[in-house]
Amino acid sequence: MDTQDLCQIVGHFSVRGGVTGIRPLGNGLINDTFLVETDGPDNYVLQRINQSIFRDVDLLQHNIDCVTRHIREKLVSAGESDIERKVLRFLPERATGKSYWTDGKQWWRVSVFIRDALTFEAVTPEYARCAGSAFGRFEALLADLPDTLGETIPDFHNMELRSRQLREAVAADAAGRMADPEVRSLVSEIRALEEEMCKAERMYREGVLPKRICHCDTKVNNMLFDRDGSVLCVIDLDTVMPSFVFSDFGDFLRTAANTGAEDDPDLGKVSFNMEIFKAFAGGYLASAGAFLTPVERENLPFAATLFPYMQAVRFLTDYLGGDTYYKIQYPEHNLVRTRAQWKLFCSAREKVDEMAALI
Ligand code: GN1
Ligand code: MG
Protein backbone atom coordinates (compact mmCIF):
# COMPACT_ATOMS: atom_id res chain seq x y z
CA MET A 1 0.00 0.00 0.00
CA ASP A 2 1.64 3.31 -1.05
CA THR A 3 1.33 6.81 0.37
CA GLN A 4 -1.20 7.78 -2.26
CA ASP A 5 -3.56 4.93 -1.27
CA LEU A 6 -3.12 5.78 2.40
CA CYS A 7 -3.86 9.44 1.65
CA GLN A 8 -7.06 8.45 -0.05
CA ILE A 9 -8.12 6.45 2.97
CA VAL A 10 -7.36 9.38 5.27
CA GLY A 11 -9.58 11.46 2.98
CA HIS A 12 -12.62 9.52 4.20
CA PHE A 13 -12.19 11.13 7.61
CA SER A 14 -12.71 14.73 8.57
CA VAL A 15 -9.05 15.64 9.12
CA ARG A 16 -8.15 19.32 9.26
CA GLY A 17 -5.49 20.61 6.86
CA GLY A 18 -3.67 18.89 4.03
CA VAL A 19 -1.65 15.71 4.45
CA THR A 20 2.09 16.33 4.13
CA GLY A 21 3.40 12.85 4.95
CA ILE A 22 2.49 9.34 6.10
CA ARG A 23 4.90 6.90 7.76
CA PRO A 24 4.76 3.72 9.87
CA LEU A 25 4.41 4.26 13.61
CA GLY A 26 5.23 2.03 16.59
CA ASN A 27 5.74 -1.72 16.65
CA GLY A 28 2.39 -3.34 17.48
CA LEU A 29 2.11 -7.01 16.63
CA ILE A 30 -1.48 -6.95 15.38
CA ASN A 31 -2.68 -3.81 13.58
CA ASP A 32 -0.80 -1.64 11.04
CA THR A 33 -0.25 1.86 12.33
CA PHE A 34 0.82 5.05 10.52
CA LEU A 35 1.54 8.62 11.53
CA VAL A 36 -0.23 11.12 9.26
CA GLU A 37 1.40 14.55 9.22
CA THR A 38 -0.57 17.58 8.06
CA ASP A 39 -0.15 21.31 7.63
CA GLY A 40 -3.20 21.80 9.86
CA PRO A 41 -3.29 22.07 13.66
CA ASP A 42 -3.11 18.30 14.31
CA ASN A 43 -1.35 15.20 13.10
CA TYR A 44 -3.20 11.90 13.10
CA VAL A 45 -2.80 8.18 13.65
CA LEU A 46 -4.16 5.98 10.88
CA GLN A 47 -4.70 2.32 11.70
CA ARG A 48 -5.69 -0.69 9.70
CA ILE A 49 -7.63 -2.92 12.05
CA ASN A 50 -6.61 -6.57 11.78
CA GLN A 51 -9.96 -8.00 10.92
CA SER A 52 -8.89 -11.62 11.03
CA ILE A 53 -8.35 -11.06 14.78
CA PHE A 54 -11.03 -8.47 15.53
CA ARG A 55 -13.90 -10.12 13.71
CA ASP A 56 -16.59 -7.73 14.82
CA VAL A 57 -15.30 -4.25 14.08
CA ASP A 58 -18.70 -2.69 14.86
CA LEU A 59 -18.52 -4.10 18.39
CA LEU A 60 -14.86 -3.15 18.69
CA GLN A 61 -15.48 0.47 17.77
CA HIS A 62 -18.63 0.55 19.91
CA ASN A 63 -16.49 -0.39 22.94
CA ILE A 64 -13.89 2.22 22.08
CA ASP A 65 -16.51 4.93 21.53
CA CYS A 66 -18.12 4.14 24.92
CA VAL A 67 -14.83 4.11 26.77
CA THR A 68 -13.40 7.29 25.27
CA ARG A 69 -16.70 9.14 25.74
CA HIS A 70 -16.97 8.05 29.36
CA ILE A 71 -13.39 8.97 30.21
CA ARG A 72 -13.75 12.32 28.45
CA GLU A 73 -16.92 13.13 30.41
CA LYS A 74 -15.20 12.26 33.67
CA LEU A 75 -12.20 14.41 32.87
CA VAL A 76 -14.47 17.32 31.94
CA SER A 77 -16.53 17.06 35.12
CA ALA A 78 -13.37 16.84 37.20
CA GLY A 79 -12.29 20.13 35.63
CA GLU A 80 -9.07 18.63 34.20
CA SER A 81 -6.94 20.70 31.85
CA ASP A 82 -5.37 19.54 28.59
CA ILE A 83 -8.05 16.88 28.01
CA GLU A 84 -7.17 16.39 24.33
CA ARG A 85 -3.89 14.86 25.46
CA LYS A 86 -5.52 12.62 28.09
CA VAL A 87 -8.04 10.64 26.07
CA LEU A 88 -8.06 9.49 22.47
CA ARG A 89 -10.32 11.18 19.93
CA PHE A 90 -11.41 9.16 16.91
CA LEU A 91 -12.61 11.01 13.82
CA PRO A 92 -15.98 10.30 12.24
CA GLU A 93 -15.99 8.92 8.74
CA ARG A 94 -17.47 11.56 6.40
CA ALA A 95 -20.30 9.54 4.87
CA THR A 96 -21.50 7.39 7.78
CA GLY A 97 -20.37 9.30 10.88
CA LYS A 98 -18.96 6.02 12.22
CA SER A 99 -15.52 5.90 13.78
CA TYR A 100 -14.18 3.64 11.03
CA TRP A 101 -14.22 3.30 7.28
CA THR A 102 -14.28 0.08 5.30
CA ASP A 103 -14.24 -0.87 1.66
CA GLY A 104 -15.55 -4.28 2.71
CA LYS A 105 -12.07 -5.79 2.64
CA GLN A 106 -10.09 -3.63 5.03
CA TRP A 107 -11.11 -1.62 8.08
CA TRP A 108 -9.47 1.70 8.93
CA ARG A 109 -9.75 4.32 11.66
CA VAL A 110 -8.13 7.66 12.42
CA SER A 111 -7.45 9.30 15.77
CA VAL A 112 -5.83 12.59 16.65
CA PHE A 113 -2.11 12.16 17.37
CA ILE A 114 -1.33 13.24 20.92
CA ARG A 115 1.37 15.90 20.90
CA ASP A 116 4.62 15.85 22.88
CA ALA A 117 4.03 12.44 24.42
CA LEU A 118 6.75 9.91 25.13
CA THR A 119 6.57 6.15 24.71
CA PHE A 120 8.96 3.60 26.14
CA GLU A 121 9.84 -0.06 25.78
CA ALA A 122 11.33 -0.01 29.29
CA VAL A 123 10.77 2.24 32.28
CA THR A 124 12.46 3.44 35.45
CA PRO A 125 10.88 2.67 38.86
CA GLU A 126 9.63 6.25 39.01
CA TYR A 127 7.73 5.88 35.72
CA ALA A 128 6.49 2.46 36.80
CA ARG A 129 4.94 3.99 39.92
CA CYS A 130 3.12 6.55 37.75
CA ALA A 131 1.97 3.79 35.41
CA GLY A 132 0.63 1.77 38.35
CA SER A 133 -1.44 4.65 39.60
CA ALA A 134 -2.62 5.40 36.02
CA PHE A 135 -3.95 1.87 35.56
CA GLY A 136 -5.65 1.88 38.93
CA ARG A 137 -7.25 5.16 37.91
CA PHE A 138 -8.20 3.83 34.46
CA GLU A 139 -10.01 0.89 36.08
CA ALA A 140 -11.65 3.17 38.65
CA LEU A 141 -12.81 5.58 35.90
CA LEU A 142 -14.47 2.73 34.04
CA ALA A 143 -16.07 1.15 37.10
CA ASP A 144 -19.36 3.02 36.51
CA LEU A 145 -19.41 2.80 32.72
CA PRO A 146 -23.11 2.82 31.85
CA ASP A 147 -22.72 0.90 28.56
CA THR A 148 -22.28 -2.83 28.16
CA LEU A 149 -19.01 -3.74 26.55
CA GLY A 150 -18.68 -6.88 24.47
CA GLU A 151 -15.62 -9.12 24.40
CA THR A 152 -13.79 -8.05 21.25
CA ILE A 153 -11.85 -11.31 21.43
CA PRO A 154 -13.98 -13.75 23.42
CA ASP A 155 -12.16 -15.23 26.44
CA PHE A 156 -9.10 -13.20 25.54
CA HIS A 157 -7.23 -13.71 28.83
CA ASN A 158 -8.84 -16.99 29.79
CA MET A 159 -5.92 -19.23 30.73
CA GLU A 160 -7.99 -22.41 30.41
CA LEU A 161 -8.78 -21.50 26.81
CA ARG A 162 -5.15 -20.60 26.06
CA SER A 163 -4.04 -23.96 27.49
CA ARG A 164 -6.58 -25.77 25.38
CA GLN A 165 -5.41 -23.92 22.28
CA LEU A 166 -1.85 -25.04 23.03
CA ARG A 167 -2.98 -28.65 23.45
CA GLU A 168 -4.81 -28.45 20.12
CA ALA A 169 -1.82 -26.90 18.38
CA VAL A 170 0.41 -29.68 19.76
CA ALA A 171 -2.00 -32.34 18.52
CA ALA A 172 -2.39 -30.77 15.08
CA ASP A 173 1.30 -29.87 14.68
CA ALA A 174 0.33 -27.92 11.57
CA ALA A 175 3.83 -26.65 10.84
CA GLY A 176 5.62 -29.90 11.75
CA ARG A 177 7.50 -28.19 14.57
CA MET A 178 6.87 -30.79 17.30
CA ALA A 179 9.76 -32.81 15.89
CA ASP A 180 12.14 -30.35 17.57
CA PRO A 181 13.18 -31.73 21.02
CA GLU A 182 13.46 -28.20 22.41
CA VAL A 183 9.86 -27.50 21.45
CA ARG A 184 8.73 -30.76 23.00
CA SER A 185 10.48 -29.98 26.23
CA LEU A 186 9.04 -26.45 26.38
CA VAL A 187 5.59 -27.92 25.82
CA SER A 188 5.97 -30.39 28.65
CA GLU A 189 7.43 -27.85 31.10
CA ILE A 190 4.56 -25.49 30.34
CA ARG A 191 1.92 -28.15 30.57
CA ALA A 192 3.17 -29.40 33.93
CA LEU A 193 2.04 -26.10 35.48
CA GLU A 194 -1.25 -25.81 33.64
CA GLU A 195 -3.50 -26.62 36.56
CA GLU A 196 -1.77 -24.18 38.90
CA MET A 197 -1.85 -21.39 36.31
CA CYS A 198 -5.58 -21.79 35.64
CA LYS A 199 -6.61 -20.85 39.16
CA ALA A 200 -8.23 -17.51 38.28
CA GLU A 201 -10.88 -19.22 36.16
CA ARG A 202 -11.62 -21.61 39.03
CA MET A 203 -11.93 -18.76 41.52
CA TYR A 204 -14.27 -16.98 39.11
CA ARG A 205 -16.52 -20.04 38.87
CA GLU A 206 -16.52 -20.31 42.66
CA GLY A 207 -17.71 -16.72 42.80
CA VAL A 208 -14.71 -15.40 44.74
CA LEU A 209 -13.07 -13.41 41.94
CA PRO A 210 -14.93 -10.64 40.05
CA LYS A 211 -14.51 -9.37 36.51
CA ARG A 212 -14.10 -5.65 35.96
CA ILE A 213 -13.55 -3.56 32.90
CA CYS A 214 -9.86 -3.77 32.17
CA HIS A 215 -7.58 -2.62 29.41
CA CYS A 216 -6.14 -6.07 28.70
CA ASP A 217 -3.08 -4.94 26.78
CA THR A 218 -1.12 -2.89 29.28
CA LYS A 219 2.23 -3.36 27.62
CA VAL A 220 4.45 -0.49 28.60
CA ASN A 221 4.42 0.80 25.02
CA ASN A 222 0.64 1.25 25.15
CA MET A 223 1.02 4.20 27.47
CA LEU A 224 1.80 7.79 26.63
CA PHE A 225 3.92 9.60 29.19
CA ASP A 226 4.34 13.30 29.72
CA ARG A 227 7.82 14.80 30.20
CA ASP A 228 7.44 14.80 33.98
CA GLY A 229 6.91 11.01 34.08
CA SER A 230 3.16 11.14 34.62
CA VAL A 231 0.98 9.03 32.34
CA LEU A 232 -0.96 11.22 29.95
CA CYS A 233 -3.10 8.65 28.26
CA VAL A 234 -3.63 4.93 27.87
CA ILE A 235 -3.83 3.93 24.20
CA ASP A 236 -4.56 0.78 22.16
CA LEU A 237 -8.11 0.28 23.41
CA ASP A 238 -9.01 -2.70 21.21
CA THR A 239 -9.07 -5.13 24.08
CA VAL A 240 -10.83 -3.06 26.74
CA MET A 241 -13.34 -5.57 28.12
CA PRO A 242 -14.43 -7.35 31.28
CA SER A 243 -11.54 -9.34 32.75
CA PHE A 244 -9.74 -9.98 36.03
CA VAL A 245 -7.64 -7.13 37.40
CA PHE A 246 -4.74 -9.54 37.00
CA SER A 247 -4.77 -8.68 33.29
CA ASP A 248 -3.64 -5.09 33.65
CA PHE A 249 -1.38 -5.65 36.62
CA GLY A 250 0.29 -8.70 35.10
CA ASP A 251 0.69 -7.53 31.52
CA PHE A 252 2.32 -4.27 32.51
CA LEU A 253 4.90 -6.08 34.63
CA ARG A 254 5.45 -8.66 31.90
CA THR A 255 6.86 -5.89 29.74
CA ALA A 256 8.10 -3.30 32.22
CA ALA A 257 9.75 -5.59 34.79
CA ASN A 258 11.55 -7.61 32.14
CA THR A 259 15.23 -6.65 32.23
CA GLY A 260 15.45 -7.85 28.62
CA ALA A 261 13.23 -7.55 25.57
CA GLU A 262 10.00 -9.49 24.99
CA ASP A 263 11.78 -11.38 22.24
CA ASP A 264 15.31 -11.22 23.61
CA PRO A 265 17.47 -13.86 21.95
CA ASP A 266 19.92 -13.48 24.86
CA LEU A 267 18.21 -15.19 27.79
CA GLY A 268 20.96 -13.96 30.10
CA LYS A 269 19.40 -10.52 29.80
CA VAL A 270 15.89 -11.67 30.75
CA SER A 271 14.83 -11.58 34.39
CA PHE A 272 12.08 -10.15 36.58
CA ASN A 273 13.03 -6.80 38.12
CA MET A 274 11.75 -6.44 41.68
CA GLU A 275 12.43 -2.70 41.81
CA ILE A 276 9.91 -2.20 39.02
CA PHE A 277 7.46 -4.54 40.73
CA LYS A 278 7.72 -2.63 43.98
CA ALA A 279 7.21 0.77 42.37
CA PHE A 280 4.38 -0.32 40.08
CA ALA A 281 2.52 -2.23 42.80
CA GLY A 282 2.90 0.78 45.11
CA GLY A 283 1.35 3.11 42.53
CA TYR A 284 -1.38 0.63 41.65
CA LEU A 285 -2.40 -0.05 45.23
CA ALA A 286 -2.50 3.68 45.97
CA SER A 287 -5.17 4.23 43.30
CA ALA A 288 -6.88 0.81 43.06
CA GLY A 289 -6.48 -0.28 46.68
CA ALA A 290 -9.88 1.12 47.60
CA PHE A 291 -11.85 -1.13 45.26
CA LEU A 292 -9.75 -4.31 45.22
CA THR A 293 -11.10 -7.28 47.15
CA PRO A 294 -8.73 -9.23 49.45
CA VAL A 295 -8.67 -12.11 46.94
CA GLU A 296 -7.66 -9.76 44.12
CA ARG A 297 -5.00 -8.13 46.23
CA GLU A 298 -3.42 -11.29 47.55
CA ASN A 299 -3.21 -12.77 44.06
CA LEU A 300 -1.32 -9.86 42.50
CA PRO A 301 1.98 -11.79 42.76
CA PHE A 302 0.27 -14.68 40.95
CA ALA A 303 -0.79 -12.18 38.25
CA ALA A 304 2.85 -11.17 37.80
CA THR A 305 3.64 -14.79 36.92
CA LEU A 306 0.46 -15.50 34.97
CA PHE A 307 1.13 -13.09 32.14
CA PRO A 308 4.60 -14.23 31.11
CA TYR A 309 3.20 -17.76 31.35
CA MET A 310 0.16 -16.95 29.21
CA GLN A 311 2.30 -15.10 26.68
CA ALA A 312 4.70 -18.05 26.43
CA VAL A 313 1.68 -20.29 25.79
CA ARG A 314 0.29 -17.90 23.15
CA PHE A 315 3.62 -17.45 21.32
CA LEU A 316 4.26 -21.20 21.35
CA THR A 317 0.75 -21.93 20.11
CA ASP A 318 1.30 -19.53 17.23
CA TYR A 319 4.70 -21.05 16.47
CA LEU A 320 3.21 -24.55 16.34
CA GLY A 321 0.34 -23.35 14.17
CA GLY A 322 2.70 -21.82 11.58
CA ASP A 323 2.80 -18.15 12.69
CA THR A 324 -0.65 -17.01 11.69
CA TYR A 325 -1.41 -14.58 14.54
CA TYR A 326 1.56 -12.42 15.56
CA LYS A 327 3.63 -10.50 13.04
CA ILE A 328 7.08 -12.09 12.88
CA GLN A 329 10.39 -10.74 11.59
CA TYR A 330 12.10 -14.10 11.02
CA PRO A 331 10.98 -17.75 10.93
CA GLU A 332 11.93 -18.67 14.52
CA HIS A 333 10.66 -15.43 16.01
CA ASN A 334 7.74 -16.95 17.91
CA LEU A 335 10.02 -19.63 19.34
CA VAL A 336 12.53 -17.01 20.47
CA ARG A 337 9.67 -15.07 22.05
CA THR A 338 8.45 -18.20 23.80
CA ARG A 339 11.89 -18.92 25.28
CA ALA A 340 12.19 -15.34 26.55
CA GLN A 341 8.71 -15.33 28.11
CA TRP A 342 9.34 -18.71 29.70
CA LYS A 343 12.59 -17.46 31.19
CA LEU A 344 10.80 -14.39 32.52
CA PHE A 345 8.06 -16.56 34.00
CA CYS A 346 10.62 -18.75 35.80
CA SER A 347 12.36 -15.70 37.18
CA ALA A 348 9.10 -14.13 38.40
CA ARG A 349 7.98 -17.40 39.93
CA GLU A 350 11.09 -17.56 42.09
CA LYS A 351 10.15 -14.18 43.53
CA VAL A 352 6.47 -14.62 44.43
CA ASP A 353 7.13 -14.82 48.17
CA GLU A 354 9.15 -11.63 48.02
CA MET A 355 6.32 -10.01 46.03
CA ALA A 356 3.71 -11.17 48.53
CA ALA A 357 5.72 -9.67 51.37
CA LEU A 358 5.77 -6.31 49.58
CA ILE A 359 2.04 -6.35 48.80
C1 GN1 B 1 -0.41 -7.94 21.00
O1 GN1 B 1 -1.22 -5.17 19.54
P1 GN1 B 1 -0.12 -5.32 20.51
O2 GN1 B 1 1.18 -5.57 19.85
O3 GN1 B 1 -0.11 -4.15 21.49
C2 GN1 B 1 -1.52 -8.76 21.64
C3 GN1 B 1 -1.34 -8.80 23.15
C4 GN1 B 1 -0.02 -9.43 23.45
C5 GN1 B 1 1.07 -8.64 22.76
C6 GN1 B 1 2.42 -9.30 22.92
C7 GN1 B 1 -5.02 -8.34 20.41
O4 GN1 B 1 -0.48 -6.61 21.43
O5 GN1 B 1 -2.36 -9.55 23.75
O6 GN1 B 1 0.21 -9.45 24.82
O7 GN1 B 1 0.83 -8.50 21.35
N1 GN1 B 1 -2.82 -8.21 21.28
C8 GN1 B 1 -3.79 -9.01 20.83
O8 GN1 B 1 3.41 -8.38 22.64
O9 GN1 B 1 -3.66 -10.23 20.74
MG1 MG C 1 0.17 -1.76 21.17
Side-chain angles (χ1 to χ4, degrees):
M1 183 141 308
D2 60 24
T3 309
Q4 181 120 24
D5 298 328
L6 293 171
C7 252
Q8 254 169 25
I9 292 161
V10 173
H12 286 277
F13 296 87
S14 35
V15 301
R16 296 191 290 169
V19 174
T20 55
I22 301 189
R23 57 187 164 85
L25 180 68
N27 50 7
L29 302 187
I30 308 291
N31 297 320
D32 297 323
T33 310
F34 304 88
L35 173 65
V36 179
E37 287 168 313
T38 77
D39 55 16
D42 288 315
N43 291 330
Y44 299 90
V45 175
L46 169 69
Q47 256 190 334
R48 174 165 50 196
I49 303 167
N50 185 331
Q51 210 258 344
S52 65
I53 292 177
F54 297 106
R55 301 245 164 211
D56 186 347
V57 177
D58 257 313
L59 172 76
L60 172 72
Q61 289 301 117
H62 161 81
N63 280 4
I64 291 180
D65 294 343
C66 294
V67 166
T68 51
R69 184 172 56 235
H70 189 69
I71 293 179
R72 184 178 297 275
E73 282 167 6
K74 290 241 166 154
L75 295 176
V76 169
S77 62
E80 289 261 351
S81 60
D82 210 10
I83 292 176
E84 289 308 316
R85 294 174 72 223
K86 294 180 180 162
V87 59
L88 293 176
R89 181 186 286 284
F90 287 87
L91 298 192
E93 194 269 324
R94 289 182 197 275
T96 61
K98 292 189 174 179
S99 55
Y100 64 87
W101 175 76
T102 180
D103 60 3
K105 291 195 207 83
Q106 297 188 345
W107 278 255
W108 297 86
R109 66 185 168 206
V110 170
S111 60
V112 178
F113 179 76
I114 294 180
R115 268 172 299 109
D116 302 325
L118 306 171
T119 55
F120 299 100
E121 297 298 325
V123 286
T124 59
E126 188 192 341
Y127 278 58
R129 179 176 300 280
C130 294
S133 81
F135 278 116
R137 218 167 40 241
F138 184 82
E139 289 169 358
L141 279 175
L142 293 178
D144 60 349
L145 185 78
D147 315 83
T148 314
L149 299 191
E151 297 199 7
T152 52
I153 299 178
D155 286 313
F156 185 50
H157 280 168
N158 182 327
M159 193 59 235
E160 288 176 344
L161 171 79
R162 298 301 181 184
S163 300
R164 192 162 65 242
Q165 288 172 334
L166 176 61
R167 282 200 299 277
E168 287 165 3
V170 168
D173 193 19
R177 287 169 164 171
M178 280 302 290
D180 178 349
E182 187 205 352
V183 171
R184 282 208 299 278
S185 109
L186 270 168
V187 167
S188 63
E189 281 179 79
I190 288 175
R191 294 210 31 205
L193 296 177
E194 194 179 299
E195 164 125 6
E196 172 185 336
M197 299 312 291
C198 289
K199 82 170 172 181
E201 286 72 28
R202 288 196 298 277
M203 291 192 291
Y204 178 67
R205 277 195 295 275
E206 289 157 9
V208 296
L209 180 67
K211 284 196 182 180
R212 305 177 188 279
I213 297 190
C214 298
H215 180 277
C216 295
D217 192 10
T218 49
K219 305 205 310 203
V220 54
N221 63 15
N222 280 336
M223 238 161 297
L224 302 183
F225 290 86
D226 212 345
R227 308 224 165 255
D228 63 359
S230 62
V231 173
L232 269 175
C233 182
V234 181
I235 59 170
D236 205 348
L237 304 173
D238 295 330
T239 53
V240 175
M241 62 177 118
S243 190
F244 309 127
V245 290
F246 305 162
S247 291
D248 292 354
F249 189 86
D251 219 17
F252 178 83
L253 288 170
R254 181 182 72 76
T255 49
N258 186 352
T259 52
E262 179 179 72
D263 59 350
D264 219 308
D266 179 356
L267 294 182
K269 293 198 179 131
V270 176
S271 67
F272 189 84
N273 180 341
M274 283 301 291
E275 285 309 303
I276 297 289
F277 175 87
K278 191 172 162 185
F280 177 72
Y284 183 73
L285 288 173
S287 63
F291 66 79
L292 293 180
T293 67
V295 170
E296 288 177 312
R297 178 188 277 262
E298 77 206 18
N299 279 290
L300 293 176
F302 165 71
T305 64
L306 175 60
F307 278 81
Y309 180 84
M310 190 185 299
Q311 200 61 59
V313 168
R314 292 176 65 194
F315 283 146
L316 186 55
T317 303
D318 198 33
Y319 182 67
L320 292 175
D323 310 308
T324 59
Y325 190 92
Y326 295 108
K327 290 181 196 168
I328 54 168
Q329 267 131 38
Y330 52 92
E332 309 273 283
H333 204 165
N334 274 319
L335 178 59
V336 169
R337 287 167 172 156
T338 307
R339 286 185 195 126
Q341 292 298 299
W342 183 249
K343 170 78 196 293
L344 179 66
F345 165 73
C346 295
S347 167
R349 196 160 181 259
E350 282 168 9
K351 296 172 182 163
V352 279
D353 290 340
E354 206 183 321
M355 291 186 222
L358 286 167
I359 293 280

